[in-house]
């Protein structure tokens, strides 16, 4: 199928893009890599009257450190997140997640902003960004606001971004000493999207006990789900294989998956505990080094 007819604008500045969007927020879509929006338009699941191409807007791409945060421009493509020295050094779990998205073409066109704004329940980046306690900066004609990750993903394909707002950057707190991050994914064998995945940020004391943990599970609901029971089980405990296994066994407690043509509910729940354990162990190993 071909998309319904639409107008196309390629603004030269972010202000111009915001002003164009303000004219008809509900009839307009911003275009990033186009790897989710264009297929949806071809299937006529989306029929915006106007597309605003962010590809011509300067300043939205790249990774930089700002104080104790990593700032990733919304238009940064997955390949650049995966290969960024800053990301690999400070949050290797994020580089890992970006490197597991789709194939080379998808990683060279798809953007971090497009991925989180699209909020596919089977996407990779929402899961690791939830574990990393990221925040999302959006801009409209009324100014800026920052949305915490725990308030950002609100439903299937739905976020807290308003129709008149453009996501400009993703802010990731830089993990401190003895912190480790990791991401583990069971991909669907045909699509490569997430069947189940786990993102982890863990902090350990010199003694080996866990000071803090954030664990997020993907693929089992409308979006990333915090595994609060797992986090509680880890905190303050010595990180022995037995305690990690007991904590990971609770990883799917807050989820409510549905069966699909690939996997049963029972299988998804079991795999979540396995991938949670793998990600916790990998994050812990990095926290040691
Ligand atoms: C073959 C294939 C395989 C894939 N495999 C995976 C996979 O394994 N894992 C995975 O996570 N993803 C996968 N994807 C999705 C891919 O990561 C997309 O790049 C991503 O979902 C959307 O990013 P985009 O830059 O292409 O956004 P677009 O398609 O341009 O936009 C998507 C949506 O986000 C909105 N949007 C985009 N940027 C902004 C912004 N800055 N502010 C506000 N709204 C914005 C758009 O208006 C649109 O509604 C795959 C895609 C394809 C085609």
């Amino acid at each position: 199928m071909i998309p319904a007819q639409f107008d196309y604008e390629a603004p030269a500045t972010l202000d111009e893009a915001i002003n164009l969007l303000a004219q008809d927020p509900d009839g307009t879509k911003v275009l990033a890599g186009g790897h989710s929006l264009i297929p949806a338009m071809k299937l006529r699941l989306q029929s915006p009257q106007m597309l605003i191409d962010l590809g011509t807007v300067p300043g939205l791409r790249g990774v930089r450190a700002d104080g104790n945060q990593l700032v990733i421009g919304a238009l940064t493509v997955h390949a650049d997140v995966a290969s960024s020295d800053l990301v690999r050094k400070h949050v290797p779990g994020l580089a890992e997640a970006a490197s597991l998205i789709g194939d080379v073409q998808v990683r060279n066109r798809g953007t971090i902003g497009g991925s989180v704004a699209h909020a596919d329940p089977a996407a990779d980046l929402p899961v690791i960004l939830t574990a990393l306690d990221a925040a999302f900066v959006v801009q409209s004609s009324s100014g800026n606001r920052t949305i915490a990750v725990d308030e950002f993903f609100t439903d299937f394909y739905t976020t807290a971004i308003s129709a008149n707002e453009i996501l400009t950057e993703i802010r990731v707190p830089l993990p401190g000493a003895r912190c480790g991050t990791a991401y583990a994914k069971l991909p669907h064998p045909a699509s490569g999207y997430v069947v189940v995945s786990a993102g982890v940020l863990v902090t350990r004391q010199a003694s080996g006990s866990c000071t803090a943990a954030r664990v997020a599970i993907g693929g089992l609901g409308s979006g990333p789900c915090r595994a609060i029971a797992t986090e509680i089980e880890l905190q303050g405990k010595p990180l022995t294989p037995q305690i990690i296994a007991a904590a990971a066994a609770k990883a799917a407690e807050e989820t409510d998956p549905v069966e699909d043509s690939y996997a049963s509910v029972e299988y998804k729940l079991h795999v979540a505990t396995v991938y949670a354990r793998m990600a916790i162990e990998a994050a812990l190993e990095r926290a040691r080094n």
Side-chain angles (χ1 to χ4, degrees):
M1 273 172 73
I2 57 167
Q5 202 170 1
F6 59 90
D7 292 327
Y8 172 87
E9 293 282 354
T13 64
L14 181 60
D15 281 347
E16 198 186 326
I18 286 168
N19 288 336
L20 282 164
L21 184 58
Q23 287 168 22
D24 179 16
D26 292 326
T28 305
K29 281 275 170 195
V30 295
L31 176 69
H35 270 211
S36 295
L37 181 56
I38 300 296
M41 288 171 64
K42 286 180 152 186
L43 291 168
R44 304 227 176 174
L45 297 169
Q46 300 260 14
S47 298
Q49 276 137 37
M50 165 143 15
L51 279 192
I52 300 173
D53 193 344
L54 295 181
T56 51
V57 175
L60 292 179
R61 187 181 280 221
V63 183
R64 64 186 166 87
D66 178 17
N68 61 355
Q69 293 184 325
L70 210 57
V71 182
I72 307 173
L75 234 64
T76 310
V77 297
H78 307 318
D80 289 349
V81 174
S83 64
S84 156
D85 289 340
L86 279 171
V87 175
R88 290 161 69 98
K89 178 178 174 199
H90 295 288
V91 276
L94 176 57
E96 211 159 44
S99 74
L100 293 173
I101 294 173
D103 53 28
V104 175
Q105 279 175 305
V106 173
R107 293 194 291 276
N108 277 317
R109 286 294 303 174
T111 67
I112 186 169
S115 175
V116 297
H118 188 57
D120 188 320
D124 292 280
L125 296 180
V127 182
I128 186 67
L129 290 170
T130 298
L132 296 175
D133 201 12
F136 302 85
V137 181
V138 293
Q139 202 167 322
S140 70
S141 43
S142 353
N144 280 335
R145 69 184 178 113
T146 300
I147 309 167
V149 72
D150 289 338
E151 274 87 54
F152 187 80
F153 298 102
T154 54
D155 208 340
F156 291 96
Y157 300 99
T158 312
T159 70
I161 305 176
S162 299
N164 66 340
E165 291 176 325
I166 292 178
L167 175 67
T168 56
E169 59 192 33
I170 292 96
R171 289 187 162 257
V172 178
L174 285 175
R178 296 202 194 92
C179 284
T181 66
Y183 181 74
K185 166 188 185 178
L186 174 67
H188 189 287
S191 71
Y193 277 88
V194 166
V195 175
V196 173
S197 73
V200 172
L201 165 65
V202 69
T203 311
R204 62 188 284 278
Q205 291 176 320
S207 65
S209 288
C210 172
T211 324
R214 277 181 71 99
V215 179
I217 302 295
L220 300 190
S222 63
C225 182
R226 287 272 302 280
I228 303 284
T230 300
E231 295 175 4
I232 291 170
E233 191 76 18
L234 290 170
Q235 273 158 25
K237 305 255 178 67
L239 290 163
T240 62
Q242 293 76 12
I243 286 179
I244 292 172
K250 300 186 170 197
E253 273 187 8
E254 280 92 354
T255 66
D256 187 18
V258 290
E259 183 167 315
D260 57 38
S261 57
Y262 179 67
S264 65
V265 169
E266 192 185 14
Y267 176 76
K268 289 182 181 181
L269 292 173
H270 174 68
V271 168
T273 67
V274 174
Y275 278 71
R277 181 173 50 72
M278 286 161 56
I280 294 167
E281 286 171 352
L284 185 58
E285 194 54 40
R286 287 174 180 153
R288 274 199 190 98
N289 298 328

